[in-house]
Amino acid sequence: MPRQTSAATGLKAEGTKNMYFIKKVLKNPKLSSAVAVLLADAILVSLIIPYVPYTKIDWDAYMSQVTGFLGGERDYSKLKGDTGPLVYPAGFLYIYSAIQYVTGGEVYPAQILFGILYAVNPGMVLFVYLKTDVLPWWALCLLTLSKRLHSIFVLRLFNDCFATTMFHAALISFLYQKWHLGLIIFSGAVSVKMNVLLFAPPLNLLAQTWKAAVDVFGVISAGAGAALVQILLALPFILSHPVAYFSRAFNLGRVFVHFWSVNFKFVPEPVFISKGFALFLLAAHLLLLAVFAHHKWCRHEGGLFSFLHCKLAQTKLKFYNPTSFPLRGLNEQNINPRVLKTEHIATTMFVGNFVGVVCARSLHYQFYSWYFYSLPYLLWRTPFPTWFRLILFAMVEFCWNLFPSNIYSSTLLLCGWHPRSIHTWTILRTANLQTQRRPDDYNPCQSDFEAELVVQKSYTDYSPAEFAAAEEERRHSCGGGFNIQPIHQIATQCPSPT
């Protein structure tokens, strides 16, 4: 009898939770819209798999490469398929080996697995959109309206699908400030396909800001965890044929076939395959990243150069005089890590990746998955009217669905990118850093660089008496070691030893 009572109580509690969730969904138009979009898209995918013919492109090559790996081959130069040699890192082999084991190498059961993957991926993306609250509720459906994305996932079974999904999982970890976990997942995504490295420059800046003025070794440990993932996955190949592995899996000098280019078909083929064109795009990529970093992403810290100078000064002081450096990790109970706004994290990551996509020498059709899921977000970060945003979205989608691409579609695609790039720049906000401080946990020995961040958020949270006491304590405690300014006059500059 007690067991029956306990079971009945558990079922009642579960029912209450379900009713609470249903009411929450019904009361929140964005949440209910997201759920409806996911359900409708799941139904659509379940119809595409049995009724739309599968397109043979890379699946057989994937299975051939996996068969060689499972047969004991560890020389990357000898792992080949009917479309050419293996050019993906080791994580790809492990994932597709598991798929081959589950499906027996058959296409239809693999399509079902990719259908599940496709359902999971938009779910995570919608979560990011709800978390950042950038789009109106009705615009969430744009994430499921791409014919090309459905094809990439369930009709062509590309490895880009796993890389993209894993990146979105990493992004969610970053939004919750789980940087160590996020970097491990991010590294796993890189091990599937190298394009995920386009997110690395903005991610590096975010990671530095996350621990800026707190503990440089936190960044190092997070980076070491990500590197360890790569080493462990590649260990069988590194121990046997390291040169073959790194030259194949991370080949940055690959020359793609001009015919398959979606973005630069209007460029003559001799120019397209030339080294000069590649170097020009690389220089443009680095220049654009530097400009965004200096004027937008690091604006809060006084620009990129000021940010790098501060990091270098803090690192030197930490090593040369660790006992007096005010930001030492040994006394973190008085210093809270920087908490970045979710909108700032998502915007920085999406824009950094978009810059890389714009400067990519060749984009094949499956590469659309690299940035499609950020398109609505970036469009709604511009000041364009809604009708023009929708036209740009439709324009880009049209270009990616036209086969084969031609000089006109490539030009149109570039025109669709150009206004978005300019207006993303003009209105991109560097979402201010949030801190959670109270007068009783005020750190009297913080640097000017850190204190300025605190003051911007919480200056008005202090009463005049509390603020005066905190400033006096700071002067008394740190006056002998640093150039101390009145707290209300602090500027964003690095502390210099006297």
Side-chain angles (χ1 to χ4, degrees):
M1 190 69 178
R3 289 186 179 180
Q4 293 179 352
T5 304
S6 177
T9 304
L11 289 174
K12 185 177 180 181
E14 189 68 25
T16 304
K17 290 181 180 179
N18 293 336
M19 288 300 298
Y20 173 76
F21 175 76
I22 293 173
K23 289 180 180 179
K24 186 177 179 181
V25 169
L26 294 176
K27 290 181 179 179
N28 187 335
K30 281 194 176 182
L31 184 57
S32 57
S33 177
V35 172
V37 165
L38 284 177
L39 291 176
D41 203 36
I43 295 173
L44 178 61
V45 169
S46 67
L47 295 175
I48 290 175
I49 293 175
Y51 294 111
V52 180
Y54 153 78
T55 306
K56 177 184 175 182
I57 298 182
D58 282 345
W59 174 257
D60 289 344
Y62 291 170
M63 292 298 101
S64 297
Q65 293 159 358
V66 163
T67 299
F69 167 64
L70 295 177
E73 183 60 67
R74 298 296 180 265
D75 186 349
Y76 244 62
S77 63
K78 296 180 180 179
L79 292 173
K80 300 179 180 180
D82 57 6
T83 59
L86 176 59
V87 292
Y88 308 121
F92 159 83
L93 286 174
Y94 295 111
I95 289 177
Y96 277 84
S97 294
I99 294 176
Q100 188 187 69
Y101 176 79
V102 173
T103 65
E106 297 295 324
V107 171
Y108 186 74
Q111 286 184 280
I112 295 175
L113 287 179
F114 274 80
I116 297 172
L117 180 70
Y118 180 84
V120 171
N121 184 53
M124 291 192 293
V125 176
L126 284 168
F127 182 85
V128 171
Y129 275 62
L130 292 175
K131 188 76 174 172
T132 54
D133 197 25
V134 171
L135 264 68
W137 65 268
W138 60 266
L140 296 176
C141 67
L142 295 176
L143 293 168
T144 61
L145 293 182
S146 174
K147 176 184 176 183
R148 178 61 64 184
L149 259 293
H150 286 91
S151 175
I152 290 170
F153 270 81
V154 298
L155 297 180
R156 288 165 171 82
L157 316 180
F158 287 118
N159 62 327
D160 304 76
C161 307
F162 282 95
T164 300
T165 303
M166 293 177 71
F167 165 73
H168 290 143
L171 180 59
I172 291 174
S173 298
F174 298 145
L175 296 183
Y176 278 94
Q177 310 294 319
K178 305 296 182 182
W179 294 90
H180 286 82
L181 174 61
L183 283 169
I184 289 174
I185 301 174
F186 181 85
S187 182
V190 172
S191 76
V192 178
K193 194 159 187 176
M194 196 171 51
N195 71 280
V196 182
L197 287 175
L198 292 177
F199 292 98
L203 175 58
N204 182 53
L205 278 179
L206 289 173
Q208 295 290 335
T209 306
W210 156 58
K211 282 289 187 178
V214 177
D215 184 8
V216 69
F217 295 109
V219 177
I220 296 175
S221 64
L228 185 61
V229 172
Q230 295 293 324
I231 294 172
L232 292 177
L233 291 174
L235 197 58
F237 309 100
I238 294 175
L239 293 177
S240 55
H241 300 86
V243 175
Y245 175 74
F246 287 109
S247 63
R248 297 278 185 173
F250 297 98
N251 182 6
L252 298 176
R254 290 177 61 198
V255 179
F256 293 97
V257 180
H258 182 257
F259 174 80
W260 293 107
S261 177
V262 178
N263 57 330
F264 282 124
K265 203 62 173 288
F266 58 87
V267 176
E269 186 171 1
V271 177
F272 177 84
I273 63 176
S274 67
K275 191 172 183 178
F277 185 59
L279 292 176
F280 167 76
L281 291 174
L282 177 62
H285 185 196
L286 296 177
L287 178 62
L288 286 172
L289 287 176
V291 169
F292 268 95
H294 182 71
H295 292 284
K296 297 298 178 181
W297 301 334
C298 294
R299 184 176 61 184
H300 190 87
E301 292 83 4
L304 177 62
F305 302 108
S306 175
F307 175 75
L308 294 176
H309 173 70
C310 287
K311 293 298 296 181
L312 180 62
Q314 291 165 5
T315 303
K316 285 183 178 179
L317 286 170
K318 191 176 183 68
F319 278 107
Y320 293 151
N321 195 10
T323 58
S324 64
F325 187 55
L327 305 176
R328 59 189 180 274
L330 298 177
N331 192 28
E332 290 190 36
Q333 64 270 22
N334 291 326
I335 304 176
N336 292 328
R338 210 58 54 227
V339 180
L340 300 173
K341 285 186 177 179
T342 55
E343 185 182 348
H344 173 63
I345 295 172
T347 302
T348 303
M349 294 293 282
F350 286 155
V351 171
N353 178 65
F354 184 70
V355 168
V357 168
V358 170
C359 297
R361 175 157 57 161
S362 182
L363 294 176
H364 294 184
Y365 285 95
Q366 65 268 32
F367 298 176
Y368 190 28
S369 63
W370 295 4
Y371 78 107
F372 166 77
Y373 290 105
S374 65
L375 280 182
Y377 186 99
L378 294 176
L379 284 170
W380 260 261
R381 295 286 287 141
T382 67
F384 296 139
T386 299
W387 63 268
F388 191 60
R389 292 168 178 160
L390 295 176
I391 288 177
L392 286 177
F393 181 87
M395 183 189 303
V396 172
E397 179 68 16
F398 169 78
C399 293
W400 281 99
N401 281 283
L402 185 66
F403 179 83
S405 61
N406 53 54
I407 59 174
Y408 304 108
S409 64
S410 293
T411 305
L412 186 63
L413 180 63
L414 191 65
C415 292
W417 283 347
H418 187 63
R420 185 184 298 110
S421 302
I422 293 177
H423 285 281
T424 297
W425 162 263
T426 57
I427 62 94
L428 181 64
R429 303 179 184 91
T430 342
N432 291 330
L433 300 172
Q434 290 179 318
T435 56
Q436 299 174 351
R437 295 295 185 108
R438 301 181 305 275
D440 58 351
D441 64 12
Y442 173 75
N443 176 31
C445 293
Q446 60 194 334
S447 67
D448 296 343
F449 172 81
E450 182 187 11
E452 189 271 340
L453 302 181
V454 176
V455 169
Q456 284 197 4
K457 175 69 178 178
S458 56
Y459 181 90
T460 57
D461 293 340
Y462 290 84
S463 69
E466 291 171 332
F467 214 86
E471 182 172 330
E472 180 63 27
E473 180 185 357
R474 178 174 180 268
R475 286 176 173 277
H476 176 74
S477 301
C478 302
F482 288 84
N483 179 24
I484 303 300
Q485 305 175 35
I487 256 180
H488 60 278
Q489 296 177 0
I490 289 175
T492 50
Q493 59 184 20
C494 288
S496 58
T498 57

